[in-house]
Amino acid sequence: MFRGMTDERRLKTAFLVLRVAIAGLLAAHGWARLLAGGVEPFGGWLESRGLPFGFVIAAAVTALEILGTPLLAWGRWATWLCLAYCAVYATGLVMVHWPAGWFVVGMGRNGMEYSVLLIVCLGLLAWVNAPRRAAEA
């Protein structure tokens, strides 16, 4: 199956699979929150942590997760979307997961390991999909 593929084609295919998988994981966040009626409680939680306009922020994050992920999967605006997702998940890491420690399950609960993995993957996707200057292309 991979025998006839060049190294460049394998790399492009690997990043495509990663981009689609990450888009699916992020979409699940937004859709689950929306369908479970969690936007308003999320906004209230943000306000309880001192952020103004909690509902607006929660709605924007949910919209980004729902509307941006098909674009990410298709490779449209991938760099900018990945950077936006990095900001969202880094904020969540600091506010929620960092205080809980490293492990999500097992040796801990609700830790930051999954968020770190998402941020690293999103950062790599942002870098790989970054627009190139004409001299670099």
Side-chain angles (χ1 to χ4, degrees):
M1 175 176 165
F2 299 111
R3 201 171 274 221
M5 291 179 83
T6 65
D7 287 344
E8 182 180 350
R9 189 74 206 137
R10 285 183 189 202
L11 194 57
K12 285 184 178 186
T13 301
F15 278 114
L16 168 66
V17 171
L18 180 63
R19 195 177 69 237
V20 170
I22 294 293
L25 292 170
L26 301 185
H29 270 171
W31 281 109
R33 185 180 310 110
L34 181 68
L35 296 175
V39 177
E40 190 171 334
F42 179 33
W45 180 84
L46 290 170
E47 287 182 4
S48 77
R49 298 294 185 257
L51 294 175
F53 311 109
F55 178 79
V56 174
I57 295 169
V61 168
T62 304
L64 179 65
E65 290 171 333
I66 291 172
L67 301 175
T69 50
L71 295 169
L72 176 59
W74 293 322
R76 304 294 183 255
W77 302 321
T79 295
W80 307 114
L81 285 166
C82 286
L83 292 174
Y85 291 127
C86 279
V88 167
Y89 292 107
T91 302
L93 185 148
V94 170
M95 293 180 73
V96 177
H97 304 293
W98 188 296
W102 179 254
F103 297 102
V104 174
V105 296
M107 299 294 293
R109 175 92 173 97
N110 207 24
M112 62 181 156
E113 65 181 330
Y114 177 69
S115 295
V116 169
L117 179 60
L118 278 177
I119 292 166
V120 168
C121 290
L122 287 163
L124 286 172
L125 288 172
W127 181 39
V128 164
N129 290 284
R132 285 150 184 80
R133 290 183 251 149
E136 296 176 16

